[in-house]
Amino acid sequence: MSFVKLPRAIREHPLGGDPESLALFVHLLINAAYQEQDAVIDGKRITLKRGQVIFGRTSYAKRIGVSDAVLRRSIRRLKKWQLIGSEATQRFSVITLLPSDLWQTVDTESGTKKNIYNNNNNITEKVGKNPTLPQVVNTIKSKGIRVDPEDFFNYYDARGWMLPSGQPIANWISLAYSWAKRDKDKAEPDSWGVVK
């Protein structure tokens, strides 16, 4: 039998004051894969990674007893708070629970932060330092950085999140801001020539 834990930090988080979003998040939490597993949808086999769940709005709205409009609002809020990311298909979405400071606790022995989930119950464990596509999309959108998040992700993911010098990228968010400035400078040069 596996377990998930809800941290008391939720009380101070906006999630704690939003019953519908909290209900949705708890459902996602308890239904997410706790280890990599295969699922068959419409005759197609897909692999769910730890922390992912197949999501259909209609079925989830019925499960938690809310309207479709309330469910959409809750999804937007969970994305804004960077607790989930999603990838949509024509028939369903795959939602990924994202690593969050909300799920970190201080180890009293070492004084370091650790994830509150342990062993194979840790469905929000961060794998490596490289961001996932949902993390990049949600962060770029929430910070209002004017770059195409998928282009940005694909460019650096193909290069193993390395700079041209071969050094690993330490702060990809700063790099996204640099991309936005570069694109703005291209679109708005200092002086425009007069065309006659």
Side-chain angles (χ1 to χ4, degrees):
M1 182 182 296
S2 61
F3 298 89
V4 294
K5 299 176 184 178
L6 291 176
R8 294 184 190 277
I10 285 179
R11 294 179 299 187
E12 285 76 42
H13 191 276
L15 181 63
D18 186 332
E20 291 91 359
S21 298
L22 180 58
L24 173 60
F25 188 74
V26 169
H27 271 271
L28 294 172
L29 189 65
I30 62 179
N31 287 299
Y34 64 89
Q35 61 187 11
E36 190 171 293
Q37 63 188 52
D38 289 336
V40 177
I41 302 293
D42 295 333
K44 294 181 180 178
R45 182 179 300 275
I46 63 169
T47 299
L48 292 176
K49 295 180 181 175
R50 185 169 17 188
Q52 291 186 325
V53 60
I54 295 171
F55 180 84
R57 276 199 326 268
T58 305
S59 63
Y60 262 84
K62 287 179 183 175
R63 279 189 200 177
I64 63 176
V66 298
S67 68
D68 189 61
V70 169
L71 187 71
R72 285 174 186 262
R73 184 179 66 228
S74 294
I75 291 170
R76 284 196 305 270
R77 288 178 177 175
L78 293 177
K79 287 182 177 180
K80 176 185 172 186
W81 298 327
Q82 298 182 25
L83 296 174
I84 65 169
S86 67
E87 294 178 42
T89 68
Q90 291 181 342
R91 300 289 304 255
F92 61 89
S93 296
V94 174
I95 288 187
T96 303
L97 299 172
L98 301 177
S100 167
D101 284 342
L102 180 60
W103 310 110
Q104 301 287 312
T105 185
V106 175
D107 186 331
T108 52
E109 292 179 15
S110 66
T112 58
K113 284 189 173 184
K114 65 177 183 179
N115 204 295
I116 63 168
Y117 297 100
N118 296 310
N119 303 326
N120 59 357
N121 300 327
N122 181 354
I123 64 173
T124 57
E125 180 182 18
K126 187 180 276 188
V127 180
K129 294 180 181 179
N130 298 340
T132 63
L133 178 58
Q135 285 174 305
V136 170
V137 171
N138 290 334
T139 302
I140 284 176
K141 286 184 178 178
S142 69
K143 293 184 179 296
I145 305 172
R146 295 183 174 270
V147 297
D148 183 311
E150 290 189 21
D151 284 350
F152 178 84
F153 175 85
N154 291 335
Y155 181 85
Y156 285 107
D157 194 56
R159 286 153 184 78
W161 293 94
M162 295 283 191
L163 295 170
S165 64
Q167 295 292 321
I169 294 170
N171 187 339
W172 66 266
I173 297 174
S174 294
L175 201 56
Y177 278 113
S178 296
W179 265 50
K181 183 179 185 313
R182 180 202 65 197
D183 290 348
K184 182 173 185 284
D185 291 344
K186 279 185 188 174
E188 300 174 13
D190 293 335
S191 62
W192 291 90
V194 177
V195 178
K196 294 183 180 181

